[in-house]
Amino acid sequence: MEHGGNLVNRTIMLPASVDEAVEALAVTPGAVPVAGATDLMEAVNAGRLRPAALIGLGRITELRGWRYEDGGTAVLGAGLTHARMDRPDFAALIPALADAARTAGPPQVRNVGTLGGNIATAAPAGDTLPVLAALEATATLARAGGVREVPVSHLLTGLDPLRPGELLTWVRVPLLHAPQVFLKSTGRSGPARATASVALVLDPARRGVRCAVGAVAPVPLRPLEAENWVAGCIDWDARGAEGAVLIDPAALAAFGEYVAGACVPEGGAHGEGSGSAAARLRRTVAVLARRALGRALK
Amino acid sequence: MTSATELPAPAPADPGTGTTGLGTSPLRTDALPKALGIYPYAADLWAEGLLWGAVLRSPHPHARILSVDTAPALAIPGVHAVVTAADLPAGPDGTPDGAPTGQVTADRPVLAAGVVRHHGEPVAAVAADHPDTARLAAAAILVEYEPLEPVTDPEAAFHAPPLHPDGNLLRHLPLRTGDPDAVGEVVVEGLYQVGRQDPAPIGAEAGLAVPRPDGGVELHLSSTDPHGDRDRTAACLGIDPDRVRLVGTGVPGATTDREDLSFQVTLALLALRTGRPVKMTLTRAESFQAHTTRHPALLRYRHHADADGRLVKVEAQVLLDGGAYADVSAEALASAVAFSVGPYTCPNVFVDAWAVRTNNPPAGRMRGEGALQACFAYESQLDQLAKQLGIDPVEIRRRNAMTTGDPLPTGQAVTCPAPVGALLDALDTTPLPALPLDDPEADWLLPGGPGGAGDPAAVRRGIGYAVGMVHMLGAEGEDEVATATVRVSGDHATVICAAVDSGQGFATLARQIVQSVLGVSEVYIAPVDSDQSAAGPSARSRHTWVSGGAVERAALMVRHQMLQPIAADFGMSVELLTINDGKITSYDGVLGMPVSEALEGRELWATAQCRPHPTEPLDPETGQGDAFVSIAFCAMRAVVDVDIELGAVRVVDVTVAQEVGRALNPRQIEDRIEGAVAQGVGLALLENLRTEGGVPVNASLTGYRLPTALDTPDVRIAALLEERDVVAPFGAKAVSAVPAVVAPAAVAAAVRAATGLPVGRLPILPEDAIAPA
């Protein structure tokens, strides 16, 4: 069935707080929380999803902003829209997330699509996901009578999935106060789905580089060996000095190849592509990773 | 501050100029309501007690229908009728399951019977009291299919078992002229591929059918060919054409035929069956299945040239994928063959072209069908020749450029203005756009778009040139005619003409024509319906010519009736009187009389026809013949930036020089050119309705990538050459199709220049534009 009156005689609840929302989830099995609905309603309209009930999260204002914790962590509401994350105050805090939000789609989608929705949908090309993976963000899952904290990457991979009755409420992101870059390749100038994306953050306090590649696999991939290797190639002490060369250009290129080799297997990213398609994707990832690190260290 | 629904004060009719009539640029009268979103389209129509229609479509590209059980659908409360092919009256020759229909070639069933030949082919339809009920009921119809192996490779169609009683070869057209043994000093060969472009109109198909007391039906939809569609609908319903009335509604985008026949026949059938008004609006996903696309093409070319780059011989093989039904494939093929060499002279031309049937989505009319595919191939060949000979790409085009009087390879002399060289020269009078700066504030200028991964160090700029041509009006002996009526009463005039303003601006043009001839400022354009005299389809760039010509003649006849008595009174000839701003004046200024006074309360009417000179079919053996009424020419320069590491392409600027005969409404011409360039850029870089085993895989506006404002370049008009075409009304040529024909070739040439790669297919994918640094 392609179409249908999917919402005829169906329940829609509009809780005003997280407590009300988890209560509604607990008492209505099969209810689906909905925020911006940019992915969810497409699935409903196409007949792929027929939720028994919808819980609209739009009235929960507490989830639409962020707060600080311990001086080093930002706690982002799941209801933060892409448009909000693109604003200068947010971009100054977590630049890579702002970059990802800015390129996530046309303004109509960015105005309503949320951070929590991007995680819950877990689309391979979800733009904020590689950034959250690189930042090693964690998610707060609320349920009636309690909360738990799960790394976002565990949610995405299904290692520790969202359980029935749980609502994604907050995302914890470390504030690194250092350059961060998100780059995506789409093949066009207008908004589009990424064919590959790379998020890269510097962590000068720990002298680390963290990187994640999006859209080439069902979940963002972390090239951990490449990260460790390249962190050792960077002249951390020269940071901030006028005209300092932080990394050998050859190391930049090698980093790109290293990342691509780690994230795009031979013989196709999705298992079915021809060898040349995989080679092209590798090349694209290598270019993105090289440029991302180059921009971060500029 | 006005609210959104409140109309701002109307803008002056023609800002800046202060005059009306031809050559000025009045605004379209529907521009403001369309911009405000209050202009009514078919999807906005309503009738008391209406039912909602829904169509069940085939999930298979090729299958035998073993059985159709409509009982489960009829059992759903609220369902009023379910129709299948068995409900259609027998065809004229007694064929059961309805007469086949189609543009040009009638080979398509309204509802599939026995076999489905493409994914999304309509099989049954439902009328119910709620749109969701109708859709649920359509889904409840049980159809048992026996899937058959689909023929999806056009090259395989030749040898595949026939997919249709008419066979798989829709047309084969050879062209032979000159010496087959001629040999040039240089030879270049190429294989070119063009993908499947979808018209993707902004408004999906929608319509309302209302049964009439006389057993007929009234159809309200955005048809672009009201009379043709009326006749074909009546034939399928087995009723007299006079009992079918098509009422034109606003057309939400048409670069092709609007509303496929199956849609409107099914709608009419449901209304007749239930005796109630039936409304149907297609979803975006259905819309992709319902309308025809551009013909995917495979073109193999071999150009022979002398050492100076002059063409000696062109050999070509052209294969068009017509999809499941013939539609206009035969016409498209004629265009591809006749314009296979482009606007160049070449003494020896040998072409073989085929249009074949496959189980892919049906292809049909779409701006410059056939001519566009050929243009990409011959212009790519010229680029190759220029590279091989070390000649400038513009110079090699200039050396071969056709001029007025030169023959086409079909033997027809091009008698209309053909200033190809002058168009090329005009391009370079417009300066090139500035280079992008290595400036973080300017990163939005880079390929990949704002916030993209673009890196100035990897960006290469390319400049490409292309020239192209396309014919206007029906070809190969088609009877081209339009009828129009003009009425004057009081101080205003009315135009009754069934030429649909599909967005091309015909209503504005008709108003200008009447203003010019009759000197009245207020001109009302009557809404189109099929009870008016026929004006033919809004296609093949014909309304400016035939319908515009008919309006002018009718207006001239009214003018004569009005001025004749006055001229007689003053003992002077009608030619010595002029009408301006509603006032009749004589050459010597003695007479000055308002039009309303001259009319003395009378109404003056006149009806006239315009029928251009006849054409003849192309010879089936040699492809020779005077097949075209007139030809439009356009030259373009495209400037692109390519990120050669990622293969991202941004078209920075497209500069256009076009032969327009006479600019009747310069602003409207510029709008049309901009729109056509955007569509051409879409085909060049983005748009491709991909299929896997005959099933479209990206039939949504998420998957099918239309150019957005960020993908669309600055379009600059270097020149609109105005060399009057003496046989055309007003001397004007149509303007919309030819820029769409040339733009993809120009963008491809620019990408070629930037990357040094051959670029043999459209759309150009990132992987085709990744070049070694």
Side-chain angles (χ1 to χ4, degrees), chain A residues 5 188-190 280 290-291 295, chain B residues 453-454 458 643 645 706 711 767:
Chain A
R188 72 181 293 178
S189 300
R280 284 195 298 268
R290 188 192 79 214
R291 288 185 185 176
R295 284 195 195 181
Chain B
D643 183 327
E645 288 185 328
L706 286 167
D711 302 294
E767 63 217 54

Side-chain angles (χ1 to χ4, degrees), chain A residues 218-257:
Chain A
V219 295
L221 303 177
R222 286 280 303 277
L224 297 172
E225 288 179 18
E227 291 175 2
N228 288 334
W229 172 78
V230 82
C233 299
I234 295 171
D235 181 1
W236 294 97
D237 298 320
R239 254 176 59 81
E242 191 69 31
V245 178
L246 300 175
I247 191 166
D248 179 359
L252 274 184
F255 172 68
E257 299 298 334

Side-chain angles (χ1 to χ4, degrees), chain A:
Chain A
M1 202 3 270
E2 198 176 349
H3 311 284
N6 297 303
L7 294 174
V8 179
N9 300 328
R10 263 166 237 277
T11 312
I12 298 175
M13 286 163 281
L14 295 169
S17 68
V18 171
D19 291 343
E20 281 180 42
V22 294
E23 184 63 28
L25 265 175
V27 300
T28 323
V32 176
V34 54
T38 53
D39 291 315
L40 184 96
M41 284 313 290
E42 200 198 337
V44 170
N45 289 338
R48 292 193 303 271
L49 185 72
R50 314 195 74 192
L54 290 178
I55 299 176
L57 305 176
R59 291 191 183 171
I60 309 178
T61 46
E62 57 181 307
L63 292 184
R64 299 180 73 83
W66 70 87
R67 56 189 159 81
Y68 304 100
E69 212 175 68
D70 315 330
T73 304
V75 185
L76 313 179
L80 261 178
T81 62
H82 289 82
R84 182 69 191 88
M85 289 189 280
D86 177 27
R87 300 248 286 272
D89 54 348
F90 189 92
L93 285 178
I94 314 167
L97 203 47
D99 285 348
R102 186 177 310 130
T103 59
Q108 294 91 330
V109 167
R110 288 186 281 122
N111 282 339
V112 293
T114 63
L115 178 64
N118 218 226
I119 298 169
T121 300
D127 283 316
T128 64
L129 305 182
V131 181
L132 296 175
L135 290 168
E136 295 177 342
T138 61
T140 306
L141 307 178
R143 62 180 189 284
V147 294
R148 65 186 179 111
E149 196 77 11
V150 179
V152 170
S153 54
H154 289 195
L155 268 183
L156 296 174
T157 54
L159 196 66
D160 193 355
L162 204 65
R163 295 173 198 155
E166 281 185 334
L167 181 70
L168 174 60
T169 49
W170 301 97
V171 179
R172 281 192 159 66
V173 175
L175 294 172
L176 299 173
H177 307 292
Q180 306 182 340
V181 179
F182 171 80
L183 295 181
K184 77 189 232 190
S185 166
T186 62
R188 72 181 293 178
S189 300
R193 204 167 276 174
T195 49
S197 61
V198 168
L200 186 138
V201 302
L202 298 186
D203 188 352
R206 288 192 276 166
R207 302 209 157 186
V209 172
R210 295 207 294 279
C211 173
V213 178
V216 300
V219 295
L221 303 177
R222 286 280 303 277
L224 297 172
E225 288 179 18
E227 291 175 2
N228 288 334
W229 172 78
V230 82
C233 299
I234 295 171
D235 181 1
W236 294 97
D237 298 320
R239 254 176 59 81
E242 191 69 31
V245 178
L246 300 175
I247 191 166
D248 179 359
L252 274 184
F255 172 68
E257 299 298 334
Y258 205 161
V259 171
C263 296
V264 186
E266 304 272 4
H270 306 289
E272 80 258 2
S274 68
S276 69
R280 284 195 298 268
L281 194 57
R282 270 182 178 230
R283 192 190 156 114
T284 301
V285 171
V287 170
L288 290 177
R290 188 192 79 214
R291 288 185 185 176
L293 185 61
R295 284 195 195 181
L297 295 176
K298 205 190 269 180

Side-chain angles (χ1 to χ4, degrees), chain B residues 193-211:
Chain B
Q193 253 179 302
V194 180
R196 182 181 297 280
Q197 188 178 27
D198 193 279
I202 191 159
E205 289 76 356
L208 174 71
V210 184

